[in-house]
Amino acid sequence: MFFVDTIELSGLGNRSYLAGGERTAVAVDPPRDIDQVIAAAARRGVRIAYVVETHVHNDYVTGGLELARITGASYLVPADARVSFERVPVRDGDLADIDPGAGLVLRALATPGHTPHHTSYVLEENGTAVAVFTGGSLLIGTVGRPDLVEPRLTEHLARAQHASAHRLAAELPEETAVLPTHGFGSFCSSSQAEGSSTTIGKEKATNEALTRDVDTFVADLLAGLDDIPAYYTHMGPANAAGPAHVDLTPPAVADAGEIAARLAAGEWVVDLRNRVAFAAGHVSGSFNFEAEGQLATYLAWLIPWGKPVTLLAESPEQLAAAQRELVRVGIDRPAAAATGGPADWLPEGETPASFRRAVFADLAARHPAGGVVVLDVRRDSERAGGYIEGSVHIPVHTLHRRVDEVPEGEVWVHCAGGMRAAVAASLLDAVGRDVVAVDDSFDAAEKAGLVLRTG
């Protein structure tokens, strides 16, 4: 018998896996915070004998090297990946005995496309393929994006993705479970699809890489590629060099005076509380990135790389969870932190800043007759599907560099659901703009009477 345990990294839209038999196991694409992988192995009562990477990751810092060092596991990395540390180079067809007593073998299968060296791993039980760890190759309903390595290679890698998907479909039984790393909200996915589990057979029937000819597939894939988070630039080099040890101990505690000093020095002070609480009262100049949600993705995307960050949390537990999320994207040590609320973070006598929240029905009562500025902070691909007539478009991940482009007046900022609008509202509030955060689903905009345009 074999098992496969899934380790969800919902903030990044990724998954990691632990698979094995009764005695030994393999960890696939482990996260930076490896303690949860070790805990999963302990619950199973197995030894981690192998750690494998499907590719050098562009969207997060791996925990593979550290996990292999701590457990003594063999560290398998695709042979053509350029890395600066000792590892077991893996080539197409290589085998690893995961648990000989259970008849479990891992077979490497070259699947270039997401990266030139990308490798999938087929888990075989007594010679029969039972699962395939596809990393950034074949995902649920789609494939990993091919444009993260080198612009000149993008079309070539897109064609390789098509070929790799067809190789997987041709060589593996239809009932083989497909276990990707990306595709659950990750920006490494070329598109987002529904569902949390799949098989080779299901993908053969529905995945566009397997139902379309290569030219049509590549043209559509390239046309649909979305923005690349800025921090991706730093992930590949960090993984190739070999990530440093993770330190998740609490940061130094900042009092109200130090928080004010750090703001005055131009550092980032990030309030992790939910957007409702932040709008009601916060430290002037601080930014709101909710701890629940895509904290790591959007904070790492927006913050100038390497700039010191101070975290404000409502509890030690919220702070610890945020640290865990941030180390996964290379924000290793906050400069300082504080817990509590605005009353604890402001000098005596100062009052919290605040701004209004609204829904699209409120906006419809003001726009266009009210002369307000409607700011859409969604991505280009989202806006192409429909936007409010007369709105200004500045994607949230570019807003901190483009606040001067926001027209004068009262700014009503919206996204698709409210989280990014809250981030944008905090950025504008920090520079003294009169802002209203629209905390509502964009689906409600037209129903509220707002005129939508497309194109």
Side-chain angles (χ1 to χ4, degrees), residues 270-274 277-278 291-292 311-319 338-342 344-345:
V270 171
D271 191 325
L272 301 168
R273 296 175 301 146
N274 71 69
F278 182 87
E292 293 74 26
L311 300 178
L312 306 180
E314 61 186 6
S315 67
E317 292 77 18
Q318 185 180 67
L319 174 61
T339 57
D344 305 299
W345 306 331

Side-chain angles (χ1 to χ4, degrees), residues 32 223 284 298 376 390 402 451:
R32 184 88 180 279
S284 181
Y298 281 99
D376 181 350
R402 301 172 60 187
V451 177

